[in-house]
């Protein structure tokens, strides 16, 4: 979201937002030097809340709620999104106290607009009101652009947000980036909505797992567990995604389901009580076994155990998932290298045996040569693996449709 602040020295209203690589700032307008500081800060605060409410319609779209029937969550989200057309009017002509009463909107977005309008009414500065109206339109336009998959300009802040749905335009853009580099690139984090990037990454992880499975003989859903024996990896979440795909879920459904679950947890909701009950029963059984085997029937300290309500970081679930999926692709390559028999003639090695060299043919830099060969082998291994993954991903392109 965009954050608004007051520069007390320059007497200016400032807006800042993140881009994935750093924050940008812009000057909105000059502020009246004689205005009360509390009133100016109140204006900045309600504009920030207005932005937060507007971007929540992006991260929690009606399309991800399932039903649009009256009084359902989807219906409420749709109603909130429809208030975009009323925001400017609420800022320009807000609800004001009348006879000791004040009409308050049920819509967080619309009420924030009314509060901004009341702060502007108290300041009574026409030029300030005009500038804030233009700023409000710019912010809503950024949200609308992000919904269409266009993350340029101010809409780029969407790369820092976790969305319950994924734009097909953004998924296609992420898929193109992964085709160029199946191991991932910085552009996936700076240019693409993270949920959409994770959808594409799930497709490429499945392709990478298939390549690793073909080489190793392990099941595709188990390759990351095997890779973790070679190199420490965050294997649990990408393995869960592979299991969901193996069970018939699409990359879109697997990713958005995990992100949605984590967002509900972040909102203080319990989306799957039955699943939690099973986890608690499993934990209770594990604690009983632990107590019996290791503690001589002593009481186990509850602080020694923990139960994760979501496999993702609820503060940034989509980006967390994207990072884990790319780590999973790397893990598939790690396992693949254990079985990848590369042709040594393409590694640039010398046919002569160093052991047969005479005194005049000594190799003082043998260690450096070995390092160079190892690095070249690593590069060729990655290139070979990437080629196989591209071929596999192309054969299963329908997963992303």
């Amino acid at each position: 979201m965009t954050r608004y602040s007051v520069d007390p020295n320059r007497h200016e209203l400032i807006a800042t937002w993140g881009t994935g690589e750093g924050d940008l700032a812009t000057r909105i307008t000059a502020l009246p030097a004689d205005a009360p500081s509390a009133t100016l800060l109140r204006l900045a605060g309600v504009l920030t809340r207005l932005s937060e409410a507007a971007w929540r319609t992006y991260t929690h779209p009606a399309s991800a709620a399932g039903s649009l029937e009256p009084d359902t969550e989807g219906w409420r989200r749709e109603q909130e999104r429809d208030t975009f057309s009323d925001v400017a009017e609420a800022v320009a002509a807000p609800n004001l106290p009348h006879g000791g009463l004040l009409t308050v909107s049920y819509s967080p977005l619309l009420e924030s607009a009314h509060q901004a309008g009341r702060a502007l009414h108290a300041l009574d500065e026409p030029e300030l009101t005009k500038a804030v109206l233009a700023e409000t339109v710019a912010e809503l336009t950024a949200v609308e652009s992000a919904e269409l998959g266009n993350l340029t300009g101010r809409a780029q802040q969407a790369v820092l947000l976790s969305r319950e749905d994924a734009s097909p335009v953004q998924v296609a853009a992420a898929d193109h980036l992964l085709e160029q580099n199946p191991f991932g690139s910085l552009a996936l984090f700076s240019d693409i909505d993270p949920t959409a990037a994770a959808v594409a990454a799930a497709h490429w992880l499945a392709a990478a797992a298939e390549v690793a499975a073909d080489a190793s003989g392990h099941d595709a859903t188990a390759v990351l567990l095997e890779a973790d024996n070679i190199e420490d990896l965050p294997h649990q979440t990408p393995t869960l995604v592979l299991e969901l795909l193996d069970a018939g879920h699409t990359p879109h459904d697997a990713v958005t389901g995990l992100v949605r679950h984590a967002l509900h947890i972040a909102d203080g909701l319990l989306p799957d009580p039955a699943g939690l009950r099973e986890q608690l029963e499993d934990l209770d059984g594990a604690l009983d076994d632990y107590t019996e085997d290791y503690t001589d029937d002593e009481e186990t300290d509850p602080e020694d155990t923990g139960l994760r309500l979501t496999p993702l970081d609820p503060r940034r679930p989509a980006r967390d998932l994207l990072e884990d999926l790319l780590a999973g692709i790397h893990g598939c390559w790690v396992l693949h290298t254990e079985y990848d028999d590369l042709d040594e003639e393409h590694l640039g090695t010398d046919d002569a045996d160093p052991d047969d060299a005479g005194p005049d043919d000594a190799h003082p830099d043998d260690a450096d040569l070995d390092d160079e060969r190892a690095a070249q082998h690593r590069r060729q291994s990655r290139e070979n693996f990437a080629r196989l993954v591209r071929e596999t991903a192309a054969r299963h392109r329908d997963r992303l449709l």
Side-chain angles (χ1 to χ4, degrees), residues 62-199:
S63 60
S67 173
L68 299 180
E69 292 296 318
D71 295 326
T72 63
E73 176 63 20
W75 177 82
R76 283 187 287 271
R77 292 182 181 186
E78 189 175 56
Q79 295 291 305
E80 181 73 348
R81 178 59 180 80
D82 288 344
T83 64
F84 270 42
S85 59
D86 301 323
V87 168
E89 182 180 353
V91 172
N95 293 333
L96 299 174
H98 180 72
L101 299 176
L102 177 66
T103 301
V104 176
S105 174
Y106 284 109
S107 161
L109 175 58
L110 205 54
E111 180 54 28
S112 295
H114 281 291
Q115 290 177 10
R118 287 193 285 272
L120 291 168
H121 182 268
L123 290 166
D124 193 21
E125 293 283 344
E127 289 302 315
L128 175 59
T129 299
K130 181 179 178 181
V132 169
L133 275 169
E135 168 61 22
T136 301
V137 170
E139 187 69 6
L140 297 182
T141 300
V143 177
E144 293 169 341
S145 295
E147 289 173 336
L148 296 174
N150 178 8
L151 303 191
T152 58
R154 190 179 296 199
Q156 191 179 5
Q157 62 186 289
V159 303
L160 297 175
L161 303 175
S162 294
R163 193 177 190 225
E164 291 186 5
D165 204 351
S167 159
V169 174
Q170 286 284 296
V171 172
D175 180 57
H176 178 67
L177 289 173
L178 285 163
E179 186 175 18
Q180 293 176 324
N181 181 4
F183 292 95
S185 63
L186 290 177
L188 280 173
F189 294 91
S190 63
D191 300 346
I192 307 294
D193 175 287
T195 302
V199 170

Side-chain angles (χ1 to χ4, degrees), residues 22-53:
D23 289 357
L24 292 175
T26 187
R27 173 186 180 274
I28 303 303
T29 186
L31 294 170
D34 58 347
S37 177
T39 304
L40 297 178
L41 291 175
R42 189 179 308 117
L43 173 62
V46 296
L47 288 175
T48 297
R49 291 195 292 275
L50 188 153
S51 173
E52 182 179 13

Side-chain angles (χ1 to χ4, degrees), residues 243-264:
E243 290 171 347
L244 290 171
L245 297 180
D246 185 63
H249 294 269
T250 65
H252 177 277
D253 290 345
V255 166
T256 57
L258 287 171
V259 171
R260 186 180 307 121
H261 184 276
L263 287 174
H264 287 177

Side-chain angles (χ1 to χ4, degrees), residues 277-297:
R277 186 180 300 111
E278 292 180 5
Q279 285 183 277
L280 290 172
E281 290 173 353
D282 292 342
L283 179 62
D284 188 49
L287 286 175
D288 288 343
D289 293 341
Y290 177 83
T291 300
E292 181 178 347
D293 295 340
Y294 300 105
T295 65
D296 297 326
D297 293 329

Side-chain angles (χ1 to χ4, degrees), residues 233-252:
L233 295 166
H235 60 85
Q236 293 179 331
T237 300
T239 295
L240 173 59
V241 171
L242 289 173
E243 290 171 347
L244 290 171
L245 297 180
D246 185 63
H249 294 269
T250 65
H252 177 277

